[in-house]
Amino acid sequence: MVIEIIMAAVGVLAGVGGKFVYDKSQATSSKHKAEKEIARAERKASEIVLQAKDEALKIEQERRREIQKVESRLADRESSLDNKLDELDKRSERLRKQEDEVESLKTEIREIRTKQQEKLEKIAGLKKKDAAEKLLQMTERDIKDDLLGLVAKLQKEATDDAEEKAQLVILSAMERMASEVTAERTVTAVKLTDDEMKGRIIGKEGRNIQAMQRATGVDFLVDDTPGMVILSSFDPIRRQVARMGLEMLMKDGRIHPGRIEEVFEKAEKQIEKEVIRAGEDAAREVGVAGIPKDLLKLLGELKFRTSYGQNVLMHSTEMAHMAGLIADEIGANVRVTKIATLLHDIGKAVTHKVEGKHHHIGAELARKAGMSDEIVHAIEAHHDDIEATTAEALVVRVCDAISAARPGARNISAENFAERMRDLENIATGFKGIDKAYAISAGREVRVIVRPESIDDLSAIKLARDIATKIESTMQYPGTIKVNVIRETRAIEFAK
């Protein structure tokens, strides 16, 4: 047992010693390998360091070459700038020399001009100030002539263009509008069927005729004209009622105060219906709606009124058609223009009741009836005492002049015509510098001859405008009147 234990212990000791010997040999071998690896790594590191040094040297050399190139370019630029500065210095020097030369030349020219001016003053016998004044006068005269020519040219061009366009618009409207120029006057005389009828109208002790006059407010003139009864009244509606009632009485044959009152009431109602129907028909014919009934009634009353031989309602209707065509051509409000034109003379229906001019009265009636400001203004401005500020008002004024100025539209006596011709001539001769004045072309033109020593060309233009303005403000006339101012200088000499 002990031997086994001893043998086991010896075995253990032998194993431990063997392992120690093996481990030692292994350690020695590993050390040699490590030393070899370290040596090899040191060699590689040395090689890498050498390569890095070579690369760094190459980069350094490249940078030096680049720096040398940049330094070379900078040196070249510096040299170029030095050359340019030298050149600029040389140019500046040359400019200074040239300025000195120019200044000396200016001084020399001034001296020469002064000497020439002195010589010219001696030759002309004029001082510089006098010569300057003469030169200014000559220049002013030349400029004035040029301005006169320019003003005349512009006026002619503007007049030609405006007249041409206006003529096209007006003629286009007129050729599309055809109506009677004049209408018959309101009938104020009633023809009797026989002489016996005159006594029956007068009645016993004049009772019948007095009843007629009380019922109508119209004067019945029986004895003035044989076979006729003349009706006299400022109110055309009353005159029409009297005419219709008298014709009904003569047709019926029963003439006495009771019957007279009944018949004239019936005639008055019929005339009232006819008046309203006439106003409505006129508005319908023109193609406008929305006119108040009160104004339509006044419009219908114009059927029984005449002005210078024109029936006022027909005149207004004709104007409304024409005004609508012109308004459409120039871009104005057609409805406003038509209504204003149709109603422009409604003031004439009440002028025997209200004081004032008919266009002012008509405008006030339209304003009270609630018509727009544009319509009211166009009615009020269709004569010259109110300035027309809208296109519609101007169209109304133009159409009124066209309708009144057409041949035969107005019955003007020879005395009135001669008086208007004299008024035109008197207005023209009332200005200073006028030698003679003649109204020609049936009063459509006034030809004025001025004294050339008193009126120059520029003043002649102003004189024509002044004469036209005075004619517009002091006279009433249809259409337009041409003012022709003539200035001429005649030089006459005789060869002997």
Side-chain angles (χ1 to χ4, degrees), residues 4 17 22 27 33 42 56 69 73 98 100 145 217 226 228 241 292 314 324 361 373 419 430 448 452 465 471:
E4 289 179 357
Y22 176 77
K33 287 181 180 180
E42 287 177 352
K69 289 180 180 179
R73 286 198 298 271
Q98 290 176 356
D100 294 339
D145 293 339
M228 302 289 289
V241 170
M314 292 189 66
I361 298 172
D373 293 339
E419 183 180 357
V448 181
R465 168 47 49 197
I471 291 174

Side-chain angles (χ1 to χ4, degrees), residues 54-65:
D54 290 340
E55 289 294 329
L57 182 60
K58 289 179 181 179
I59 291 171
E60 183 67 22
Q61 290 175 354
E62 185 67 26
R63 286 181 62 190
R64 286 180 180 178
R65 283 195 295 271

Side-chain angles (χ1 to χ4, degrees), residues 86-97:
D86 293 339
E87 184 66 25
L88 286 173
D89 291 338
K90 292 178 181 178
R91 286 186 179 182
S92 297
E93 186 63 27
R94 288 198 297 270
L95 285 173
R96 281 194 293 271
K97 291 181 180 180

